[in-house]
Amino acid sequence: MLQQHSENCSQPLLSRSKAYSTSCGGFSMGGNTFFVPSALFAENRNRLCQHLKEESKVAKNSFILLQGGDGLPIYNTDVEYNFRQEPFFQWAFGVKEPGCYGVVDVHTAKSLLFVPYMPEEYAIWMGKLPTLDTFKGMYHVDEVHYVKDIATVLKKRNPSVLLTLYGVNTDSGLPFVEAAFDGISGFNVNNEILYPVMAECRVIKSELELEVLRYVNKISSDAHIQVMRTLKHSMREYQAEAIFQNYCYMVGGCRFFAYTCICGSGQNGAILHYGHAAAPNDKLMCDGDMCLFDMGANYCGYAADITCSFPVNGKFTEDQATIYNAVLKSNQAVMKAAKPGVSWVDMHKLANRILLTELRNAGLLKGDVDEMLKAGMGAVFQPHGLGHFMGLDVHDVGGYLPGNPPRPTGPGVSKLRTARTLEKGMVITVEPGCYFIDVLLDKALADPEQAKFMVPEVIERFRNFGGVRIEDDVIITKDGVENMTKVPRTVEEIEKVMAGKVAMTPAAPLESCKV
């Protein structure tokens, strides 16, 4: 169950908007927003230390060194992007300020936080400057020092080795920025041990992490429902995005979003990463358009990733219901089959099998489904992988760590963000889709091995359809899945919600100014 407060803090949450950080140790946006206790991050540090001792047999007096993110200016101006903490640092310390370092003694799990020193005049622009003791109370670490003293503090502990993060993100292909500070050359540094162990810890979520993920999913789910209930034709796509973002921030305290919102309507629903700078959700939504809205909030660094597909006017046509139900059956089949010990590659293939079977039953395809799969027909209609790990990154780390199955080859499966066998405690998205993308349809029709399965005159009818994606965020449990996403999924449920026949979750009450 979602908990609204820390067990160690008896003060009611509604009156904790100013006092929570120093009295309870944790994060909240106040009001009825979720309280994330610092115990979550302490538990993560303990888990990491335990795995390092068990799996890597690190030398005694080894220390983990992590560097947090820095503020980033917008080009050459004195205006900064709204700061978001580096995810590995967030996982271990939960610190919202930029420019920090964290150190953990592997064998005792004692934690040291290093924060930037700010001259007194900074208080003019930043407000009252927190003391070192204030930081210690906010984040429940063992010691707090200034960044400028990091070399001196570490030398007194004479570490045998500093373990730093180094590696490449298998989703983006971008390297991690390895921690560095003035004087680090005087220490023994190992950058090979930490990353695979820490990334694996992030793959398996703790119960406290799952509570945060359930919260951000609840807020994101309710925001999607608010969009469904509010949407009207002759609105623009960005107005749907604004409805979603307003709800998440206004009700859920989610200042950030997990990724750029995808609000595709009509043909834009077939653009997998629509909403980018060159296509900023600006199309006028017309009566009869199918919408594909892929949006998720972020709270305390943790992400949700939900896609809902529905007609803008709230009433499915026969063709829209056909494609929607085909994708829904794929989603439901995976939900039923996914559990510990199951290969995620097999789940992708199952989703494709169901989709192709339904498209054949609807008259878009013909022939044997097994032969279609061998010919790569699944990737013609669903060119992306079935889903991805999710946590502090919307495409979370751990997909292709050493010792796990490598990236598979072949149409569709080569796009999978992990090929791992499912384990209890993983959080993963289930997001089958069906899209009518001209370049893929034309290529398939020109390929004799694929064209023989297609019914051109029926395919042509769907050329301007766009696409359908149904994306849920699930926890792998001991014997199945827990679906954290709570939105209407059947055609009938969607039509009832959009017609106003299902009550909306009421917004949170306004907070009293009296403490």
Side-chain angles (χ1 to χ4, degrees):
M1 295 294 291
L2 292 176
Q3 296 180 5
Q4 290 285 352
H5 57 83
S6 167
E7 293 178 359
N8 296 322
C9 183
S10 59
Q11 189 179 10
L13 185 61
L14 278 172
S15 64
R16 289 214 321 263
S17 59
K18 293 182 180 180
Y20 70 87
S21 61
T22 55
S23 64
C24 304
F27 172 86
S28 169
M29 289 293 282
N32 284 332
T33 64
F34 189 72
F35 181 81
V36 183
S38 289
L40 182 155
F41 308 105
E43 182 181 354
N44 285 345
R45 295 192 296 270
N46 287 330
R47 286 198 292 145
L48 175 59
C49 291
Q50 191 63 33
H51 281 286
L52 283 168
K53 288 186 287 188
E54 290 176 355
E55 301 174 17
S56 302
K57 298 181 174 60
V58 294
K60 288 186 177 181
N61 210 33
S62 298
F63 284 74
I64 299 161
L65 171 66
L66 298 173
Q67 183 173 354
D70 286 315
L72 183 64
I74 300 176
Y75 299 110
N76 62 346
T77 71
D78 61 352
V79 178
E80 290 192 347
Y81 290 101
N82 205 353
F83 176 71
R84 294 173 69 166
Q85 188 57 268
E86 193 280 326
F88 280 96
F89 194 80
Q90 178 71 13
W91 183 88
F93 284 92
V95 172
K96 62 181 180 290
E97 290 82 6
C100 298
Y101 288 75
V103 172
V104 185
D105 183 330
V106 173
H107 289 273
T108 66
K110 286 188 176 180
S111 53
L112 290 76
L113 178 65
F114 295 85
V115 299
Y117 173 78
M118 292 186 181
E120 184 179 341
E121 60 266 25
Y122 271 54
I124 299 170
W125 292 276
M126 306 292 289
K128 185 178 180 180
L129 301 178
T131 65
L132 296 182
D133 284 341
T134 302
F135 277 111
K136 186 176 179 181
M138 287 168 63
Y139 299 117
H140 281 202
V141 291
D142 294 295
E143 297 180 26
V144 181
H145 305 274
Y146 290 117
V147 169
K148 63 184 179 66
D149 299 323
I150 188 170
T152 302
V153 172
L154 288 178
K155 281 181 180 177
K156 290 179 179 179
R157 284 161 173 77
N158 193 28
S160 60
V161 63
L162 295 180
L163 305 177
T164 59
L165 278 173
Y166 181 76
V168 175
N169 187 308
T170 57
D171 282 300
S172 67
L174 298 174
F176 299 103
V177 178
E178 188 177 2
F181 58 83
D182 289 341
I184 194 173
S185 60
F187 296 86
N188 178 29
V189 176
N190 182 300
N191 64 9
E192 297 179 354
I193 293 175
L194 183 60
Y195 171 68
V197 177
M198 195 170 185
E200 184 64 24
C201 286
R202 283 182 56 182
V203 170
I204 306 300
K205 272 58 177 180
S206 71
E207 284 302 316
L208 288 173
E209 288 183 290
L210 293 177
E211 289 287 272
V212 187
L213 286 164
R214 290 184 182 105
Y215 173 77
V216 73
N217 253 271
K218 175 68 167 67
I219 294 299
S220 299
S221 295
D222 287 350
H224 272 282
I225 295 171
Q226 181 78 336
V227 172
M228 289 182 188
R229 290 179 55 83
T230 311
L231 196 69
K232 299 176 182 177
H233 68 83
S234 298
M235 292 175 68
R236 292 200 174 264
E237 294 161 336
Y238 68 80
Q239 292 176 295
E241 178 182 16
I243 294 167
F244 179 86
Q245 292 184 335
N246 175 265
Y247 187 95
C248 291
Y249 200 178
M250 183 80 174
V251 177
C254 299
R255 191 178 193 186
F256 296 104
F257 295 86
Y259 50 93
T260 301
C261 291
I262 298 169
C263 294
S265 64
Q267 290 176 279
N268 292 338
I271 303 172
L272 298 187
H273 283 177
Y274 183 70
H276 55 79
N281 294 326
D282 58 353
K283 176 185 172 296
L284 185 69
M285 294 183 289
C286 299
D287 195 10
D289 277 352
M290 192 70 182
C291 296
L292 188 158
F293 290 171
D294 185 340
M295 301 181 285
N298 178 297
Y299 188 81
C300 195
Y302 286 86
D305 186 1
I306 299 171
T307 307
C308 296
S309 301
F310 48 86
V312 69
N313 62 5
K315 191 70 177 175
F316 284 82
T317 66
E318 184 176 349
D319 281 348
Q320 288 171 342
T322 294
I323 302 303
Y324 185 88
N325 284 327
V327 177
L328 182 61
K329 286 182 180 180
S330 295
N331 175 282
Q332 292 172 335
V334 173
M335 291 286 195
K336 185 176 180 179
K339 61 182 178 180
V342 170
S343 164
W344 191 240
V345 178
D346 289 344
M347 293 296 91
H348 176 92
K349 292 177 179 178
L350 172 62
N352 277 187
R353 177 180 292 278
I354 298 296
L355 177 64
L356 294 176
T357 300
E358 293 301 311
L359 293 180
R360 184 190 63 181
N361 293 345
L364 286 83
L365 301 176
K366 59 184 179 181
D368 183 76
V369 172
D370 286 331
E371 293 300 316
M372 291 183 203
L373 289 167
K374 291 178 183 177
M377 290 300 295
V380 174
F381 296 95
Q382 186 194 300
H384 59 77
L386 175 64
H388 50 80
F389 289 144
M390 193 187 73
L392 283 166
D393 294 315
V394 66
H395 295 160
D396 217 6
V397 295
Y400 292 103
L401 290 174
N404 288 295
R407 187 182 295 275
T409 58
V413 292
S414 65
K415 304 299 183 183
L416 281 168
R417 296 182 185 271
T418 187
R420 292 179 60 159
T421 298
L422 298 177
E423 299 177 43
K424 181 178 181 293
M426 288 177 169
V427 171
I428 199 163
T429 65
V430 178
E431 50 178 308
C434 181
Y435 317 87
F436 295 89
I437 302 170
D438 284 339
V439 64
L440 295 181
L441 295 175
D442 291 340
K443 187 177 179 180
L445 288 167
D447 180 352
E449 292 302 311
Q450 293 185 329
K452 64 184 180 183
F453 300 112
M454 303 177 78
V455 182
E457 61 274 20
V458 181
I459 295 290
E460 198 63 31
R461 192 171 85 232
F462 285 85
R463 279 282 187 172
N464 298 321
F465 181 93
V468 168
R469 181 162 62 252
I470 298 175
E471 181 178 16
D472 294 316
D473 302 340
V474 305
I475 303 166
I476 305 301
T477 65
K478 63 181 178 63
D479 53 10
V481 302
E482 175 193 332
N483 188 0
M484 296 184 288
T485 303
K486 309 295 183 186
V487 295
R489 282 307 191 201
T490 68
V491 166
E492 294 74 19
E493 289 170 347
I494 291 170
E495 290 183 343
K496 285 182 180 179
V497 167
M498 296 188 72
K501 296 179 181 179
V502 177
M504 177 63 192
T505 303
L510 294 178
E511 187 175 358
S512 172
C513 291
K514 295 181 179 180
V515 177

